[in-house]
Amino acid sequence: MKTTLSILLVVVAVVVLCTASARAGEVEGTIRLGGVVVDEDVGDLSSMQETFNFYDGFNLTGILLRGSFDPGTYPRTFFTLNLRDLNRDNRKGQFEFRVPSYFSFKTSYDQHRQVFDPQRLVSSDRKDWRFTTRVTPADWLFLSGYYNYMTREGNRTSFPAGVQSDLGVGYDYTLNTGRIEGQVKRGPRFVTLAYEFSAYNDDLFNTADRDGKIVSARVFLPDLFTNKLTHVFRASYGKTELANSDVDHTLKTFRYSGIVRPVQRFRFKYGFLARQIDDDATLLRTDNFQHDIDAKYWHRYGAVWGGYSYELNDDDRSLTRYNTYRGGANIRYPDRVRASLQYSNRSRDDDENVTLLKDAETERIAAKVEIDLMKKLVVGSRYVIRNRELNDIGVEIEGENVSGYVRYDAPLWAGLASGVSADYSYAEDRFDDRVGAFNTRSQFVTARVETAYRGLLEGAAGVTYMDVEGDLDIEKSTLFFEAVYTYKNDYHLELKYNIYNYDDFILLNRFYTANVVWFNVAYDFGIGE
């Protein structure tokens, strides 16, 4: 009760402040009040992640404010405040203040729960605050930064049951991350300097406390002798230290990219990466070198591209090499047909034969086509083949996926507008190892219908359905229905009804059904001009 009262007082204070500050400008917004009704029939409350953050009862659903200050001055300033589910444990919010071309400040908050056991007795709560700002005091100077504060508290599950993990029985930690960046620009040339930091503090497992810092510089420089060549350099130095020990981890990197455009429609790109990692925990120093070569050619009806990468990882115990080949093409003809084809192959050679997976090869082929059959009617299809082989340990993974979709926006007729969208996907995955085989066949269906009548009534309905067969037997679905009635442009009655269902026909008592209803009344208002 105290938490709810405090939130309401904060909201009232924010609304009064914003409206009072905007007396010389203008403010418009929406306030939503309502409730949530949750009815569950369950065997396992952890099986449906989408319902972890639904709570019964009254809900201060949202406050949305948009405004501007001092309309007669330049530059003009704007703000946006968006608060949702304020008195619930899944509350969220964003605030933005900006002066176009000069300054912006954004902050956001997100809180949610994760559940780990069938009774929802083992769970954790995560809260995220994020702040970002951007300043452009002059055309040649750009400054930006962000700060993120995240906390997580709750219980940790154990496996097998009853055995305590080395990480403890719960979560109680904070993570602070941030970045400050400055960029100086002169013509097409610019230099960027950045500093990043992180601090992890665990009250239950203090040997995991650690701090990290990285400084980096990036230079974008056209060639001094020809305007067809551009150079990009980047270097960084960072260190991560365990706070309660003398163990640290040092990272040094240097990256170069060269981009050549001998003619307008052709681009050639070369990239080089050198990275060194010193790890006191494993007493290893790893050297990593990577070369990337890419070429792309554009035509009025599409483009063709290809590339090759070579990577070498060398430490005191192992030497591994990676070769990656990639290529593809896309077509647009004339404006109603769009198609693409992509291929990639990545192989790893373990020269010392000491890594866990040893040699490995991954291959992927993807094809996509999209056609505008008529105005506002689009159909498309996609086909993907993905394979992975680890011959030294007798493992092979094969997968195929085919999907199709349709989008249609019906023309306005007698004040009635509507739209239809549907997606279907079928996938087969096969896993073979020395013990046996594991195969799955999956189907995914989503469909949505929307309609609106003269700005008075809006409605939508849809379904999401998943079916997994083979060595698994799982069905999962969500049905939803939405309706909004508007009275005199400013008053809204909103209703939403969702049905959630999950069934695992192999595991005992692994099922879940929920009926969830949201109802809100909303009011649009405006103050000022």
Side-chain angles (χ1 to χ4, degrees), residues 324-341:
T324 303
Y325 301 88
R326 54 187 173 269
N330 62 49
I331 299 173
R332 299 183 302 274
Y333 183 81
D335 291 322
R336 299 176 61 180
V337 178
R338 296 168 292 278
S340 65
L341 177 66

Side-chain angles (χ1 to χ4, degrees), residues 50 63 81 104 117 120 132 292 329 372 384 408:
E50 293 86 342
I63 295 180
L81 175 68
S104 70
D117 75 311
R120 287 187 184 166
T132 61
D292 295 286
D372 297 337
V384 178
Y408 179 61

Side-chain angles (χ1 to χ4, degrees), residues 252-264:
K252 307 170 189 176
T253 64
F254 172 79
R255 185 186 296 271
Y256 167 77
S257 296
I259 303 172
V260 182
R261 301 198 72 156
V263 295
Q264 185 177 3

